Amino acid sequence: MSTVSETIHVPAPVDEVFGFLDDPDNHMAVTPSIANIDNVERLENGGKRLDHTFRMAGVPLDGELVQTVHEPDERMVFEMRGRLEGEIELQFEAEDGGTRLTYAATYEIPGNVLSAVAEPFARRYNERELRTTLENVQTHFELAD
Protein backbone atom coordinates (compact mmCIF):
# COMPACT_ATOMS: atom_id res chain seq x y z
CA MET A 1 0.00 0.00 0.00
CA SER A 2 1.17 3.53 -0.81
CA THR A 3 -0.08 6.78 0.67
CA VAL A 4 0.08 10.27 -0.81
CA SER A 5 -1.22 13.42 0.84
CA GLU A 6 -1.33 17.11 -0.04
CA THR A 7 -2.90 20.24 1.43
CA ILE A 8 -3.91 23.48 -0.27
CA HIS A 9 -5.67 26.73 0.65
CA VAL A 10 -8.90 27.32 -1.29
CA PRO A 11 -10.24 30.91 -1.30
CA ALA A 12 -13.83 29.99 -0.43
CA PRO A 13 -15.78 29.11 2.72
CA VAL A 14 -15.70 25.50 3.93
CA ASP A 15 -19.39 24.89 3.14
CA GLU A 16 -18.89 25.95 -0.50
CA VAL A 17 -15.79 23.79 -0.99
CA PHE A 18 -17.47 20.81 0.69
CA GLY A 19 -20.61 21.30 -1.42
CA PHE A 20 -18.54 21.51 -4.61
CA LEU A 21 -16.68 18.27 -3.83
CA ASP A 22 -19.88 16.57 -2.68
CA ASP A 23 -21.01 16.55 -6.34
CA PRO A 24 -19.45 13.64 -8.31
CA ASP A 25 -19.63 15.63 -11.56
CA ASN A 26 -17.22 18.15 -10.06
CA HIS A 27 -14.73 15.38 -9.30
CA MET A 28 -14.68 14.64 -13.03
CA ALA A 29 -14.03 18.32 -13.69
CA VAL A 30 -11.04 18.60 -11.33
CA THR A 31 -9.45 15.11 -11.29
CA PRO A 32 -7.45 14.60 -14.49
CA SER A 33 -7.43 10.79 -14.42
CA ILE A 34 -11.14 10.19 -13.88
CA ALA A 35 -12.41 9.22 -17.30
CA ASN A 36 -15.99 8.32 -16.39
CA ILE A 37 -18.54 8.33 -13.54
CA ASP A 38 -21.80 6.35 -13.74
CA ASN A 39 -24.59 4.95 -11.60
CA VAL A 40 -24.42 7.49 -8.77
CA GLU A 41 -26.57 6.44 -5.80
CA ARG A 42 -27.17 8.45 -2.63
CA LEU A 43 -26.50 6.49 0.58
CA GLU A 44 -28.28 6.72 3.94
CA ASN A 45 -25.17 8.32 5.51
CA GLY A 46 -25.50 11.27 3.07
CA GLY A 47 -22.64 9.99 0.93
CA LYS A 48 -22.69 8.35 -2.46
CA ARG A 49 -21.81 5.13 -4.24
CA LEU A 50 -20.75 5.29 -7.86
CA ASP A 51 -18.99 3.41 -10.64
CA HIS A 52 -15.93 5.04 -12.17
CA THR A 53 -13.13 4.58 -14.66
CA PHE A 54 -9.75 5.92 -13.60
CA ARG A 55 -6.78 6.02 -15.95
CA MET A 56 -3.31 5.40 -14.56
CA ALA A 57 -0.49 5.72 -17.09
CA GLY A 58 -3.03 5.16 -19.86
CA VAL A 59 -4.42 1.94 -18.31
CA PRO A 60 -8.19 2.10 -17.62
CA LEU A 61 -9.13 0.90 -14.14
CA ASP A 62 -12.84 0.34 -13.57
CA GLY A 63 -14.15 0.32 -10.05
CA GLU A 64 -16.57 1.53 -7.46
CA LEU A 65 -16.30 4.36 -4.94
CA VAL A 66 -18.34 4.11 -1.75
CA GLN A 67 -18.44 7.13 0.53
CA THR A 68 -18.14 5.53 3.97
CA VAL A 69 -17.89 8.85 5.86
CA HIS A 70 -19.90 11.98 5.02
CA GLU A 71 -19.46 14.63 7.73
CA PRO A 72 -20.74 17.90 6.20
CA ASP A 73 -18.15 20.69 6.11
CA GLU A 74 -15.56 18.45 7.84
CA ARG A 75 -14.66 15.19 6.15
CA MET A 76 -15.37 12.72 3.36
CA VAL A 77 -13.91 9.21 3.12
CA PHE A 78 -14.28 7.01 0.05
CA GLU A 79 -13.48 3.32 -0.19
CA MET A 80 -12.07 2.41 -3.61
CA ARG A 81 -13.12 -1.04 -4.80
CA GLY A 82 -12.20 -2.84 -7.99
CA ARG A 83 -8.94 -2.91 -9.92
CA LEU A 84 -7.59 0.01 -7.87
CA GLU A 85 -8.22 -0.52 -4.17
CA GLY A 86 -7.70 1.80 -1.25
CA GLU A 87 -9.16 4.83 0.45
CA ILE A 88 -9.47 8.55 -0.28
CA GLU A 89 -9.97 11.06 2.53
CA LEU A 90 -10.81 14.75 2.13
CA GLN A 91 -10.62 17.05 5.16
CA PHE A 92 -12.01 20.60 5.26
CA GLU A 93 -10.93 23.22 7.82
CA ALA A 94 -11.57 26.96 8.00
CA GLU A 95 -8.34 28.89 7.39
CA ASP A 96 -7.65 32.59 6.75
CA GLY A 97 -11.11 33.36 5.34
CA GLY A 98 -11.08 30.25 3.16
CA THR A 99 -10.63 26.49 3.41
CA ARG A 100 -7.64 24.32 4.16
CA LEU A 101 -8.33 21.27 1.99
CA THR A 102 -6.34 18.10 2.64
CA TYR A 103 -6.53 15.18 0.21
CA ALA A 104 -5.00 11.85 1.22
CA ALA A 105 -5.09 8.64 -0.80
CA THR A 106 -3.98 5.18 0.27
CA TYR A 107 -4.00 2.70 -2.58
CA GLU A 108 -2.69 -0.58 -3.85
CA ILE A 109 -1.56 -0.65 -7.47
CA PRO A 110 -2.82 -3.72 -9.34
CA GLY A 111 -0.15 -6.12 -10.62
CA ASN A 112 -0.93 -5.62 -14.30
CA VAL A 113 -0.44 -1.86 -13.95
CA LEU A 114 2.66 -2.30 -11.82
CA SER A 115 4.22 -4.47 -14.52
CA ALA A 116 3.70 -1.64 -17.01
CA VAL A 117 4.74 1.15 -14.65
CA ALA A 118 7.54 1.00 -12.12
CA GLU A 119 6.52 1.69 -8.50
CA PRO A 120 8.46 5.00 -8.15
CA PHE A 121 6.87 6.31 -11.35
CA ALA A 122 3.42 5.28 -10.13
CA ARG A 123 3.97 7.09 -6.83
CA ARG A 124 5.13 10.28 -8.58
CA TYR A 125 2.18 9.97 -10.97
CA ASN A 126 -0.29 9.77 -8.07
CA GLU A 127 1.38 12.65 -6.22
CA ARG A 128 1.09 14.80 -9.36
CA GLU A 129 -2.53 13.69 -9.84
CA LEU A 130 -3.43 14.64 -6.30
CA ARG A 131 -1.64 18.01 -6.47
CA THR A 132 -3.29 18.81 -9.83
CA THR A 133 -6.72 17.92 -8.44
CA LEU A 134 -6.24 20.27 -5.48
CA GLU A 135 -4.93 23.05 -7.72
CA ASN A 136 -7.97 22.60 -9.99
CA VAL A 137 -10.32 22.98 -6.99
CA GLN A 138 -8.41 26.09 -5.92
CA THR A 139 -8.56 27.56 -9.45
CA HIS A 140 -12.30 26.85 -9.70
CA PHE A 141 -12.92 29.05 -6.67
CA GLU A 142 -10.39 31.71 -7.67
CA LEU A 143 -12.18 32.10 -11.00
CA ALA A 144 -15.59 32.19 -9.28
CA ASP A 145 -14.53 35.33 -7.35
Side-chain angles (χ1 to χ4, degrees), residues 14-68:
V14 169
D15 62 329
E16 289 181 25
V17 178
F18 187 93
F20 178 77
L21 289 172
D22 199 30
D23 181 342
D25 288 333
N26 291 331
H27 284 274
M28 282 216 30
V30 298
T31 307
S33 292
I34 293 181
N36 190 43
I37 291 178
D38 275 325
N39 304 318
V40 177
E41 298 174 25
R42 182 158 295 281
L43 302 175
E44 288 183 24
N45 69 358
K48 293 158 199 69
R49 190 219 64 81
L50 55 92
D51 296 327
H52 68 89
T53 302
F54 186 83
R55 288 197 175 283
M56 179 182 282
V59 178
L61 303 170
D62 294 325
E64 175 184 61
L65 281 177
V66 178
Q67 194 171 9
T68 57

Side-chain angles (χ1 to χ4, degrees), residues 26-136:
N26 291 331
H27 284 274
M28 282 216 30
V30 298
T31 307
S33 292
I34 293 181
N36 190 43
I37 291 178
D38 275 325
N39 304 318
V40 177
E41 298 174 25
R42 182 158 295 281
L43 302 175
E44 288 183 24
N45 69 358
K48 293 158 199 69
R49 190 219 64 81
L50 55 92
D51 296 327
H52 68 89
T53 302
F54 186 83
R55 288 197 175 283
M56 179 182 282
V59 178
L61 303 170
D62 294 325
E64 175 184 61
L65 281 177
V66 178
Q67 194 171 9
T68 57
V69 176
H70 184 267
E71 298 171 355
D73 302 339
E74 291 181 27
R75 191 166 81 114
M76 298 179 188
V77 178
F78 299 88
E79 183 179 319
M80 295 183 291
R81 302 174 182 169
R83 294 184 60 203
L84 185 62
E85 295 190 355
E87 184 177 271
I88 296 170
E89 180 175 3
L90 300 172
Q91 292 182 8
F92 307 79
E93 299 173 66
E95 175 186 74
D96 298 327
T99 302
R100 177 181 173 89
L101 175 59
T102 302
Y103 186 135
T106 301
Y107 57 90
E108 187 168 337
I109 300 170
N112 62 339
V113 173
L114 196 52
S115 66
V117 181
E119 174 71 32
F121 173 79
R123 182 172 180 75
R124 283 191 307 276
Y125 178 89
N126 285 317
E127 288 170 348
R128 223 175 12 257
E129 176 79 11
L130 192 143
R131 188 171 27 261
T132 300
T133 298
L134 288 175
E135 289 170 353
N136 287 343

